[in-house]
Each structure stands twice: as C-alpha cells, then as structure tokens.
Amino acid sequence: MQSSSNLFPVALISAERRGDLSEDVYRLKPGNSPDASVELAVTRLGMADASEIRGVPVILLHGSFSNRRFWYSPKGLGLGAYLARLGFDVWIPEMRGHGLSQRNQAYRNNRVADYARYDLPAIGAFVREQSGQVPHWIGHSLGGITLAAALGGHYLGEPAVASAAFFGTQVSRTYWPLKIPPVEWSGRFILKRFAQLSGSRLKRGPEDEPIGLALESMRWYGLFGRFGDAEKNWWAGLADVQLPVLAVSAAGDHQDPTWACRKLFEQIGSEHKQFVCLGQEQGFKGDFGHVEMLVSKAAQAEVWPLVARWLQDQQAPLLESLPALAEAV
C-alpha cells in the first residue's frame, strides 16, 4: 500500500461526497510514541465542487467523551462544515480510541501528555505537508487542554501553529477533596481497577475515556500538583507562547467557569490575545453552556461567525464586531 505522506505511513481510508462537501478520512501511523500501535484518524473537509486549491487550514480538536461529530454531523452541520463552506481547509483529528481512531495497545494508559507530545505534532506535520500552509488550531474543553499542553511543553510552536483558540478550556478549578492526600490515594486505588470511563453510563458523551486521563488530572489537582508531566511544567511554558490566542468561555458553563478560563488566558504570554465570554453582559443574546457554546442554533448564529472573523484577522477586536456579525446572520 502506497502511503499518502512522505512523513510516515498514511492511508486514505475513505473519500466521499457528503452533499455539497467532500470528506476524506486518513489513517495516520506516526510511530513516534512508545506505543507503536497508535493510529490516528483525521477527517479533511472541503467543498465537493471546488477547485483543488484549498483555503487556510484549520485543525479542530474535540473534547472528552467526544469525536469528530462534535464538529461535523452526518447531516453536514457543525462548525467544521460551516468553516469548510466559507473556504477553509478543515481538518478534524480523533484522539486515540475515539471515533475512527482504533484503540491502541496501551489504551488504558493514554494521557494528555501523550496526545500533546506525540499525536498533535504528527497531526500538525501531516496537515502542513498536505496543505502547504501553517494551520490554525481550535480546541474545545479537553481538546483545548491538550493544545495548551502542547504549546506549554514546546511540542508545538510558531512554525507549526498560526494561531490557537481555546473554548471552555481551564486547568485551575479547585477540587478540594483532592488536596487531602488520603482522599487522592483512595481515588487512585479505586480508579486503577478500571480500564476506561464510560461516556454513555456517565451521560457525558458517545465515547469512553481511558483511565490514564483521570489519573493524570487527579495529579494536576492534587496537593502539590501542577499542569505538566514529570519532565516539563506546561503551565510555566505557556508564558513563552507568543502566537495570536483567542480564549472563549461561556457564562453558563459550570464545568469550566469563566474565571478559570481567564486564568489560563492570562498565563499565556502573547501580546496578541483576546478573551470573550459568551453571555449577555458581553452583548450576546443569552448565556451559553459548555457544549452549547459551539453546538447549538444560538452558536451557529452568534459564535460561528465570530470564529470565522478570528481566523480571517487575529488583530481585529472581536467584541467590537458583534453588531456587524449579528446583522450579517
């Protein structure tokens, strides 16, 4: 089988027309992590009847218990489809064991540290190779945390990232019981009995999450925890980030509250950054929630145009453009 890339083995496993959109699904096998069985599915969206010339690439990273359908539904709806119709070259990876990405051999041990150090750089390199341009990156929730870890750990940087946008992303919310060592130890002992957390049973989403992620987050929020791994302090590394950055919170998000999202935003060292809270106080028609900030009719009307505006011009003040965007809808 001939690879679709000169970087590492890549197979085009599906090429379909979905209404007015083209959908190409690639399977990447980077071979850059200790677990050689890791394979990543990446979906590329474009206009079916457009020329071969693609627009600016955008990489969309889903959150926990989710997959590519967060960005692109079977009916051709979602922020990914919206951006593709505007001419952007849209790429939607699915993390290890999610969606079309098969579970790797060490699935239960998967962590953000693995996604950030190995998977995101491989995805970024492949997108740059195929598009010939530096991509913008957008992450929601855990996808944003993974992007922040990759930037703070210096696994991704300016040569590979045109801009970074974080939606509902924070690592500063305090879970006081985890500050008590016996409670944390007991929690770890119980969690280690499981291989994964079920999204359907927990009513969190369609996908499962490896137990390694839960154990990793417990360490972050523990008594002497930090956002990082044994080798690097990702939180401290965010101060070195000089890319254009957009951070977005939702006024009605109780999972990742605005104050915590703002704390991540303030830690990023870039001089070219903007913070938006999706709520009535900042001129929106209502207070958005954690998922509704990107997946809802209200998001389609008020948030998606904001994202497109950001991708077109990272220097333009987004909140000042709200009236014009509302009139255009």
Side-chain angles (χ1 to χ4, degrees):
M1 179 180 65
Q2 184 175 3
S3 176
S4 301
S5 170
N6 293 318
L7 299 170
F8 38 72
V10 175
L12 177 63
I13 60 176
S14 174
E16 303 288 345
R17 181 181 182 124
R18 306 294 186 187
D20 60 333
L21 298 174
S22 65
E23 176 197 83
D24 297 335
V25 181
Y26 296 89
R27 184 176 64 237
L28 282 57
K29 192 165 184 177
N32 63 341
S33 71
D35 186 347
S37 69
V38 171
E39 296 183 354
L40 303 170
V42 181
T43 299
R44 186 182 197 181
L45 295 181
M47 297 303 295
D49 296 323
S51 65
E52 291 297 320
I53 299 177
R54 302 263 189 162
V56 177
V58 182
I59 299 175
L60 305 177
L61 301 174
H62 64 75
S64 58
F65 302 102
S66 188
N67 53 41
R68 64 177 179 155
R69 292 308 182 191
F70 181 85
W71 304 108
Y72 166 58
S73 77
K75 294 183 178 180
L77 301 175
L79 178 60
Y82 172 81
L83 293 176
R85 292 185 176 109
L86 288 180
F88 290 97
D89 187 10
V90 178
W91 297 79
I92 309 176
E94 292 177 290
M95 294 298 100
R96 304 177 180 192
H98 293 72
L100 300 176
S101 295
Q102 297 181 357
R103 292 193 178 189
N104 53 304
Q105 291 178 358
Y107 168 79
R108 75 183 316 275
N109 299 319
N110 288 339
R111 305 166 301 156
V112 165
D114 302 311
Y115 302 161
R117 182 173 183 176
Y118 304 115
D119 299 349
L120 263 57
I123 292 165
F126 178 65
V127 170
R128 293 198 310 276
E129 178 194 47
Q130 297 297 307
S131 67
Q133 301 182 68
V134 179
H136 299 272
W137 295 68
I138 298 175
H140 174 252
S141 194
L142 184 63
I145 290 175
T146 303
L147 179 57
L151 293 172
H154 302 139
Y155 305 123
L156 284 177
E158 289 189 69
V161 184
S163 72
F166 303 93
F167 282 78
T169 300
Q170 62 84 26
V171 291
S172 299
R173 186 177 175 184
T174 302
Y175 299 90
W176 290 112
L178 294 179
K179 301 294 184 183
I180 305 173
V183 174
E184 181 190 359
W185 300 335
S186 299
R188 285 182 174 276
F189 177 77
I190 294 172
L191 287 177
K192 285 180 179 179
R193 298 171 59 189
F194 301 93
Q196 71 272 329
L197 298 175
S198 171
S200 58
R201 289 184 180 180
L202 296 173
K203 298 182 179 180
R204 296 293 302 276
E207 299 284 344
D208 297 337
E209 289 296 340
I211 207 65
L213 285 180
L215 295 172
E216 181 183 44
S217 63
M218 289 184 70
R219 180 174 53 77
W220 296 344
Y221 296 116
L223 182 60
F224 299 108
R226 67 174 190 182
F227 182 53
D229 60 11
E231 298 179 10
K232 292 189 177 183
N233 185 330
W234 305 332
W235 182 260
L238 287 172
D240 300 327
V241 174
Q242 296 301 317
L243 303 160
V245 167
L246 171 65
V248 181
S249 70
D253 187 351
H254 303 294
Q255 175 178 323
D256 297 303
T258 293
W259 70 264
C261 295
R262 182 176 285 279
K263 195 167 184 179
L264 178 75
F265 167 79
E266 292 173 348
Q267 177 63 17
I268 296 172
S270 175
E271 296 181 0
H272 305 289
K273 59 182 183 178
Q274 299 187 53
F275 187 88
V276 175
C277 177
L278 302 175
Q280 296 184 57
E281 290 188 6
Q282 286 202 293
F284 295 90
K285 294 180 181 178
D287 291 345
F288 288 78
H290 184 69
V291 173
E292 293 77 15
M293 67 192 308
L294 286 167
V295 182
S296 64
K297 290 185 178 180
Q300 182 176 355
E302 297 188 82
V303 183
W304 296 359
L306 206 68
V307 175
R309 178 68 181 274
W310 163 259
L311 294 172
Q312 291 162 352
D313 183 2
Q314 291 81 51
Q315 306 303 320
L318 290 180
L319 291 179
E320 294 179 8
S321 68
L322 281 181
L325 291 173
E327 292 176 2
V329 174

